[in-house]
Amino acid sequence: MQAWLRLSRGIDALNRFFGRIAIWFIFAATVLSAGNAIVRKLLNVGSNAWLEAQWYLYAAAFMLAAALTLRNNEHVRIDILISRFSLRTQAWMDLFGLFFMLLPVCVGVLYFSIPFFWQGFVSGEMSSNSGGLIRWPVYLTIPVGFTLLLLQGISEAIKRVAFLRGALPSPFVKESDETPPAGGAEGAR
């Protein structure tokens, strides 16, 4: 189990790294957006390339941050229902969701997005907008983001199994939380 937990910690670290990159993409997109608006209003000059660059940066940020959101247990879920169950039942429900919903969707998206990216890369597909950018960089964010999400899903499954085996405290603690909830691994939520 310890080898699996090391793998899980490695995946978590990888997604924290990409989460930090996503923050910088948001910052760059915000600066680009503000600069573009100022130039457009003051000088009456616009650029489709700058608008598309904003879009690419936001797309990359969201795709890269999705796995970290799962890692931090901040994704959308039905807490009002699931919180009524014990932590062990919640872990089993999460495992079901991971194995029968999240991981198959990630594999399906990867199956279709890798050839989609490759076709855009090989063809050098360009935006149809005047002065637009090449498209493959934004296409690449789809398989990269879903690969990170797939890996994080595996990491979360490892943590749920470790919790069920008594090798980890509650997997429902957010990264920013310092201690698990009162009552340890068996505490009610």
Side-chain angles (χ1 to χ4, degrees):
M1 187 88 250
Q2 290 307 313
W4 288 106
L5 288 171
R6 277 193 300 278
L7 173 64
S8 175
R9 285 189 297 272
I11 293 169
D12 290 352
L14 175 71
N15 282 316
R16 277 191 299 274
F17 172 77
F18 279 103
R20 288 185 190 107
I21 291 173
I23 290 169
W24 285 105
F25 283 171
I26 292 288
F27 176 73
T30 303
V31 169
L32 188 59
S33 177
N36 199 20
I38 290 168
V39 168
R40 192 173 59 248
K41 294 295 181 189
L42 292 179
L43 304 175
N44 201 26
V45 175
S47 166
N48 285 332
W50 292 114
L51 291 172
E52 287 183 13
Q54 286 172 229
W55 176 63
Y56 285 20
L57 288 167
Y58 278 124
F62 286 110
M63 292 306 298
L64 294 179
L68 185 62
T69 302
L70 178 61
R71 175 2 195 144
N72 290 343
N73 204 22
E74 294 177 345
H75 54 291
V76 175
R77 55 190 302 155
I78 50 172
D79 284 340
I80 195 161
L81 297 176
I82 198 170
S83 65
R84 298 183 190 280
F85 297 104
S86 71
L87 290 178
R88 291 186 64 78
T89 302
Q90 291 178 40
W92 280 109
M93 292 170 79
D94 272 2
L95 282 170
F96 177 83
L98 289 166
F99 284 115
F100 293 103
M101 293 179 209
L102 178 72
L103 299 179
V105 166
C106 288
V107 169
V109 170
L110 286 171
Y111 178 80
F112 290 107
S113 67
I114 291 171
F116 179 69
F117 152 71
W118 188 248
Q119 181 182 7
F121 178 75
V122 170
S123 70
E125 181 181 344
M126 298 288 293
S127 168
S128 60
N129 295 322
S130 175
L133 302 176
I134 56 172
R135 290 279 173 100
W136 70 262
V138 77
Y139 292 167
L140 179 61
T141 65
I142 300 169
V144 169
F146 275 90
T147 297
L148 294 172
L149 191 58
L150 176 73
L151 290 172
Q152 193 61 49
I154 292 167
S155 174
E156 295 305 308
I158 290 168
K159 287 183 256 186
R160 298 316 184 267
V161 169
F163 167 72
L164 290 169
R165 295 182 70 191
L168 268 187
S170 174
F172 303 102
V173 176
K174 293 181 183 177
E175 184 174 274
S176 60
D177 295 345
E178 294 181 17
T179 57
E186 295 300 318
R189 202 168 154 187

